[in-house]
Amino acid sequence: MSSREYDEELRAEREYVAGLYARLDAERAAAKRRYSVALRGDGESAMEREFEVRALGREVKRLDVADNGLCFGRLEAVTGERSYIGRIGLFDRDDEYEPLLLDWRAPAARAFYVATAASPENMRGRRQFHTRGRRILEFTDEVLGRPDGDQRGDAALLAAVNAPRGAGMRDIVATIQAEQDEIIRLDHPGVLVIEGGPGTGKTVVALHRVAYLLYTQRERMQRHGVLVVGPNPAFLNHIGRVLPSLGESNVVFMTAGDFVPGRHVTAEDTATAARLKGSLKILDVLRAAIADRQRLPEQPYLIELADVTVRIDAETVEWAREEARASGRPHNEARAVFREIVTYVLTERAIARIGRGWLTRDEREAWEQLREDLVAELAEHEAFIAALDDLWPILTPDALLSSLYESPERLAAAGADPALFRVDGAAWTVSDTPMLDELVDLLGAEGPPADDAERARKAEAEYAAGVLDILVDRADLMDDEDHLLAQDMLYAEDLADRFLERDTRELVERAAADRTWTYRHVVVDEAQELSEMDWRVLMRRCPNRSFTVVGDLAQRRSAAGADSWASMLEPYVPRRWAYRSLTVNYRTPAEIMDVAAAVLAEFAPAVRPPESVRACGVQPWAREVTEDELAGAVEEFVRAESGRDGTSVVIGPSDVPGAVAASETKGLEFDAVLVVDPERILADGPRGAAELYVALTRATQRLGVLYRGTLPEALSGLADSPSPVGAGDRTAP
């Protein structure tokens, strides 16, 4: 194509994209007008108004996110038909809804990501736009259908991976690669494991998979939302903009320390305590700790009533305890059974003594009246209530677990390892969170059970909500012979409106605050760090077992984490989970990956490092410093990087000025990384090598290492540098 022809094509593409933006602006303005009208709700019921307001609110958000990079490419079929690919779909409403722009998730757009010269997918060519704001700056063309041609033009991809990093992760809708697209669109309804080394894009692929599922299964998923679990708050902040940028907002983000609503825990246990608490064997400890609080009296309790004194003896309590445990109810709810048995025994004994000589069982009416009086007296009797509290106390998860940790005797009685002892039992750690969550179920409600009317109302409400879910699911699964009538949906909505108190909070707010909320899909990132107990919590949150699991076993640092995916998943989805791997490193340049690969070879020799797609031309370096020189060397690095575009970080032990731990950078990426005291990172427990591997693979452009004493053997290939400033100079050694 000549320069003149290129300029003419560029002008034509700019005009077309300008027309798309004009269409976008018109649709957005119309949606906002309809939204304003819906808010007024003239002549509509509250339920109809709320439904319309929510739907139009979602449409406005969908249109708002498309401003930046609305259209990023074009496909030309062998028939000559052209299709433009972008963030959302736009249609010509005046021409039988002819597509003007294909949503990147639409089946017809798939060729844009997977077509190659050898496998053109019936396409003749692919054009990729480089845009800024609403304007196309330039484009590149690839000719498809030539077996001897390039597999995929890399101009757009390399521009993206070489660009300076910003404050958060960016979406990759314009540069999705074929192996990534296959995973994003994989038709697997259950658990999908995506494993990949550093820089392979596994996190962003998982997030785009969520966006794809929400696009293809909107009705099934939007009422329940999606849960994304990450390793730490910094990581969640880093990825938090990806899904909103793709028009998806019904997503709850949390860490394992957030599993209990209203509680945010970040402190970590020792490796030994984390391993003990993370194992499913801790369930036996929790059950035994509860049973230990259901005790028999050493001496009988004397209950002085108005007319007689009765005893609560060990035999009575043992019978009541057996009946309460046999009920299968949680501890607090089983107290009602325990109390009922004890009350029965005491009233029988009291009646026998009060009525001795004049009252027989044949005098049923007098007998029952006396029983009612005694039951009423016991219900208000302070000594009786105190005895029940001693023998079968109402327990809360916090109180039970903290008192267990603080008492060597209670730990021993529950069969727990003495290593779980701590002085401050309520100093919660991340490993405690799934235990506290489990205790909610084991203990049950703290207050008295709801009365019959309240239970009936809740049952009817749950039934109504269930009808809605069934109808929505059926609508998604209908074949040509299925018929779903409008009145079916209206009846279900009427039921829900009748029995459910309307909650005007957004879905994300409601879901995050409700422990019993169940999600239609869950994404677990850095999943190798999750314990067996963590997985137990998550499986409760997603009964239909729809998961995208992302991780890298070679990067595991938690003593309670996964040694294999099967060990964590088989108990819940036996032989019903799929595994896919990503092998191409899009983040870490070859120069840095060679250094990290040497560390990987030492602690995981069977693991093959991902292959980098690029080199950056900057050699990583190492520099020995003394104790007195360390602070100045760190400051020199920070000062040098502050004058460059992009982001930087110092990773090292906690006593290094300005440094963060490698664990806090998991899943993050920076243009420049300075690793301090790698020998101390290696020495920090059995997973120190994995920590160092993580630290070395965070950089996208520049990597430096400061060490005191001896440089680890795995890093011996690093070039010496007299100054951290030289790390950014492509002529540096």
Side-chain angles (χ1 to χ4, degrees), residues 521-537:
H521 192 76
V522 176
V523 176
V524 186
D525 210 324
E526 299 294 342
Q528 73 277 355
E529 307 297 346
L530 267 61
S531 69
E532 292 177 325
M533 286 294 290
D534 290 326
W535 280 109
R536 185 173 170 88
V537 174

Side-chain angles (χ1 to χ4, degrees), residues 5 69 100 122 196 212 224 247 311 318 330 365 385 569 627 705:
E5 290 172 329
L100 301 173
N122 294 318
Y212 175 76
H224 291 258
R311 297 191 315 162
E318 185 172 16
E365 186 174 339
I385 295 172
L569 299 177
E627 186 75 30
V705 174

Side-chain angles (χ1 to χ4, degrees), residues 488-501:
D488 294 333
M489 292 300 291
L490 288 175
Y491 176 66
E493 287 283 5
D494 287 343
L495 278 176
D497 196 44
R498 176 182 175 186
F499 294 119
L500 288 173
E501 185 175 326

Side-chain angles (χ1 to χ4, degrees), residues 295-297 312-327 334 337-349 392:
R295 68 185 194 86
L296 300 178
I312 304 176
D313 53 31
E315 183 180 9
T316 298
V317 174
E318 185 172 16
W319 176 34
R321 186 173 68 174
E322 289 176 359
E323 291 295 325
R325 288 176 176 177
S327 72
V337 177
F338 180 84
R339 177 175 184 151
E340 183 179 355
I341 297 297
V342 174
T343 299
Y344 170 79
V345 172
L346 295 190
T347 55
E348 284 291 307
R349 289 175 177 173
W392 196 287

Side-chain angles (χ1 to χ4, degrees), residues 13-67:
E13 297 293 23
R14 285 174 173 171
E15 290 178 358
Y16 189 87
V17 171
L20 293 177
Y21 275 109
R23 171 69 63 179
L24 173 68
D25 290 340
E27 292 197 8
R28 183 159 47 202
K32 288 181 177 179
R33 285 195 300 271
R34 295 196 302 273
Y35 182 73
S36 298
V37 172
L39 285 175
R40 293 196 299 269
D42 298 336
E44 295 179 344
S45 69
M47 182 187 71
E48 291 171 331
R49 181 168 62 254
E50 182 180 334
F51 179 82
E52 187 173 8
V53 166
R54 287 183 183 271
L56 288 171
R58 289 193 297 268
E59 177 67 5
V60 170
K61 287 181 181 178
R62 185 185 78 90
L63 296 172
D64 277 342
V65 301
D67 253 324

Side-chain angles (χ1 to χ4, degrees), residues 78-79 152 256 305 420 498 558 591 723 726:
V78 293
T79 61
R152 171 81 193 260
L305 300 176
L420 295 182
R498 176 182 175 186
S558 171
E591 297 91 338
S723 168

Side-chain angles (χ1 to χ4, degrees), residues 694-706:
V694 169
L696 295 172
T697 53
R698 299 306 95 194
T700 66
Q701 301 291 343
R702 300 175 294 280
L703 172 67
V705 174
L706 295 177

Side-chain angles (χ1 to χ4, degrees), residues 140-163:
T140 56
D141 279 341
E142 298 168 71
V143 177
L144 305 173
R146 295 179 180 175
D148 58 343
D150 293 336
Q151 288 298 300
R152 171 81 193 260
D154 289 331
L157 173 64
L158 292 178
V161 297
N162 281 317

